[in-house]
Amino acid sequence: MSKNNSKRILFLTHYFPPESNAPASRVYEMTKRWVAAGHDVTVLTCAPNVPNGIVYEGYKNKFRQTELIDGINVIRVWSYMAANKGTLRRTLNYLTYMLSAIFWGLFVKKPDVIIATSPQFFCGWAGVWLKRLRRVPFILEIRDIWPETVVAIGAIKNRNLLRLFEWLEIKMYKASDIIVTVGEGYRQKLLERNVSSKKIVIVSNGADLNFFKPSDPDSQLLESIGIKDKFICSFIGTVGMCSGLKVIVDAAKLLSQKGYSELVFLVVGDGAVRQELQAESEKLKLSNIVFTGRRPKIEMPKFIASSDVCLAHLQKKDLFKTVIPSKIFEAAAMAKPIVLGVEGFAAKLLNEAKAGICIEPENYVELADALILLYEDPNRKTQYGQSGYSYVLKNFNRDKLAKDYLNTIECLVGMGK
């Protein structure tokens, strides 16, 4: 690509590798492809600390530090460290990142476009202010409808505070030039808030088909965590308040009572409710749940490959009917059947792909029954895996999605010239 066509992109995100949650993965997967296409990309983010609010080894929570990751210029700025739970400290975490991002964003070479992604809400506002101060086009990426999400899980209940946030939400939408969102459900939510349809572009989540691909189970990995020769249902991701994962404890108890000792849950990841779930599991003396805690992203394909079934699950809330968890695409890319406890658009996608079984969220009986069905019918399990793999291969390749996003950026920048 010639220098004349190269774009200078400033991307604001609260999360970035080595953090391995869905927002971090999405930004990394997009930006590394834009760099490969010849663009100059700077990511403005925090010191890696999710989910415990403890800075990862090899990093410090300094006012500013830089590194180069796969050609991406990464600037890490200071923020108040807080675990992924509670309200006051997390809000301070978000606010301090916003202020640091606005400040250091003024010293980056003037970009052609600024992108800010949610979560979190205040990251979006950092983008709004930098748009005004740097006088460049601004793309707001919506991966979460905020503050509606925190209301749904009961994290904020003060009505005056919520009204303020709702007002700021609408102002943020109006300040953006383009809103990129990850699915039709979010598009509908934005339309309900009187956002113009001409302003909304959908670029869905997907899978890196070079990283997530069908492979054999890792027997050494399974032996190291003590669940070799078991039928494994894995939940891989943030064990947060929205996940509704008490359903795993209840289903494990039921499976144990029914005598299905060979059916085991594997929970890979950490978050606000992981310790609570693990303590309850230990209290009930359930030997059919294994918690690994946070593991490096490089190991995620090994965990998926070593699973018989992958679980995607959220609380039973109307808001989550708009969500399509990214772990669906990663599991399908590795030809693994999915048990899905998410209603709405995600369930529609799974049924369309014929990639697994939909259950009612937080219904532990249905979860246990789905696992028994797949355990006792290996052909069905294989068919779901193969069908999901074909569907993702055709529709959710990260390479194509990154090109689609880049087309949106180039059109916006071209209009501004």
Side-chain angles (χ1 to χ4, degrees):
M1 176 174 287
S2 71
K3 292 268 185 183
N4 291 335
N5 292 328
S6 177
K7 302 291 183 291
R8 191 175 294 118
I9 302 167
L10 175 60
F11 206 126
L12 311 184
T13 175
H14 205 83
Y15 309 106
F16 197 71
E19 293 167 327
S20 58
N21 58 8
S25 296
R26 177 180 169 91
V27 176
Y28 168 71
E29 296 292 349
M30 292 293 179
T31 53
K32 79 171 182 179
R33 286 167 171 78
W34 298 343
V35 168
H39 299 282
D40 182 352
V41 182
T42 298
V43 169
L44 195 53
T45 187
C46 308
N49 69 94
V50 168
N52 297 319
I54 299 170
V55 178
Y56 291 11
E57 188 176 349
Y59 291 88
K60 292 182 179 179
N61 189 24
K62 296 167 64 176
F63 283 107
R64 182 179 182 274
Q65 55 193 317
T66 62
E67 62 181 318
L68 193 67
I69 300 177
D70 291 337
I72 306 161
N73 302 305
V74 181
I75 301 174
R76 299 187 185 274
V77 299
W78 179 86
S79 64
Y80 176 83
M81 292 286 113
N84 192 22
K85 57 184 176 181
T87 301
L88 179 60
R89 295 187 67 201
R90 288 181 74 191
T91 301
L92 284 172
N93 174 234
Y94 305 152
L95 282 169
T96 51
Y97 167 72
M98 179 184 74
L99 294 172
S100 291
I102 293 169
F103 177 78
W104 289 110
L106 295 174
F107 295 93
V108 174
K109 193 170 183 180
K110 187 172 182 178
D112 295 304
V113 64
I114 294 168
I115 305 172
T117 185
S118 73
Q120 300 301 331
F121 174 82
F122 296 104
C123 181
W125 266 99
V128 171
W129 280 106
L130 283 174
K131 165 196 163 76
R132 292 169 176 170
L133 294 167
R134 303 302 303 266
R135 299 180 183 276
V136 295
F138 170 49
I139 295 175
L140 175 64
E141 183 178 279
I142 296 295
R143 302 184 68 263
D144 201 358
I145 300 293
W146 207 95
E148 190 173 345
T149 299
V150 293
V151 174
I153 62 174
I156 297 178
K157 297 177 181 177
N158 184 300
R159 289 307 309 168
N160 291 327
L161 189 59
L162 287 172
R163 276 194 288 271
L164 171 62
F165 286 152
E166 286 163 357
W167 179 79
L168 288 170
E169 175 194 10
I170 299 304
K171 295 285 283 185
M172 182 173 66
Y173 296 155
K174 288 181 178 178
S176 65
D177 296 291
I178 293 288
I179 297 177
V180 170
T181 193
V182 294
E184 181 59 32
Y186 287 113
R187 181 177 176 276
Q188 293 298 327
K189 288 284 185 181
L190 291 168
L191 292 174
E192 288 171 12
R193 286 156 172 77
N194 296 317
V195 177
S196 169
S197 61
K198 294 178 182 178
K199 202 175 192 177
I200 306 169
V201 177
I202 295 175
V203 181
S204 71
N205 285 320
D208 181 344
L209 301 179
N210 294 314
F211 187 64
F212 295 101
K213 54 189 175 183
S215 53
D216 294 329
D218 188 320
S219 57
Q220 286 186 327
L221 178 70
L222 293 176
E223 195 165 349
S224 71
I225 56 178
I227 52 171
K228 197 173 179 183
D229 301 322
K230 299 287 187 180
F231 183 92
I232 299 168
C233 173
S234 64
F235 177 91
I236 300 173
T238 303
V239 190
M241 294 169 69
C242 298
S243 60
L245 289 186
K246 186 178 183 300
V247 71
I248 286 181
V249 176
D250 294 336
K253 181 180 177 182
L254 181 58
L255 287 169
S256 183
Q257 290 170 346
K258 287 188 171 187
Y260 285 95
S261 58
E262 57 273 55
L263 272 61
V264 174
F265 286 100
L266 174 62
V267 181
V268 182
D270 206 348
V273 299
R274 195 266 294 176
Q275 290 183 338
E276 178 186 327
L277 293 173
Q278 190 165 350
E280 186 173 357
S281 172
E282 290 169 358
K283 181 181 176 182
L284 294 170
K285 298 181 180 178
L286 296 174
S287 60
N288 54 351
I289 308 182
V290 174
F291 294 86
T292 70
R294 183 174 65 84
R295 301 291 288 254
K297 184 177 179 180
I298 194 70
E299 293 184 355
M300 296 307 107
K302 291 182 180 180
F303 278 109
I304 296 173
S306 303
S307 304
D308 294 280
V309 182
C310 292
L311 173 67
H313 190 275
L314 291 169
Q315 288 181 0
K316 187 176 173 62
K317 304 278 187 184
D318 283 345
L319 174 65
F320 297 142
K321 291 179 180 179
T322 63
V323 177
I324 301 178
S326 59
K327 56 177 61 66
I328 291 176
F329 306 114
E330 293 163 359
M334 298 192 68
K336 294 298 178 180
I338 298 155
V339 172
L340 177 68
V342 184
E343 297 175 320
F345 286 90
K348 181 181 177 184
L349 185 147
L350 194 79
N351 287 328
E352 202 172 88
K354 300 177 182 175
I357 298 173
C358 294
I359 64 168
E360 180 187 23
E362 302 185 81
N363 189 325
Y364 69 93
V365 176
E366 288 192 10
L367 174 55
D369 288 345
L371 296 184
I372 290 169
L373 178 63
L374 293 171
Y375 172 66
E376 294 182 342
D377 190 348
N379 289 334
R380 183 192 292 257
K381 178 170 82 85
T382 301
Q383 286 169 4
Y384 283 144
Q386 290 300 323
S387 179
Y389 175 68
S390 299
Y391 192 79
V392 165
L393 207 64
K394 182 179 178 181
N395 299 291
F396 296 101
N397 188 331
R398 287 274 196 200
D399 292 338
K400 180 183 181 302
L401 296 170
K403 287 179 183 177
D404 292 344
Y405 206 143
L406 197 53
N407 287 339
T408 296
I409 293 170
E410 289 172 341
C411 287
L412 177 62
V413 173
M415 286 167 55
K417 290 185 176 180

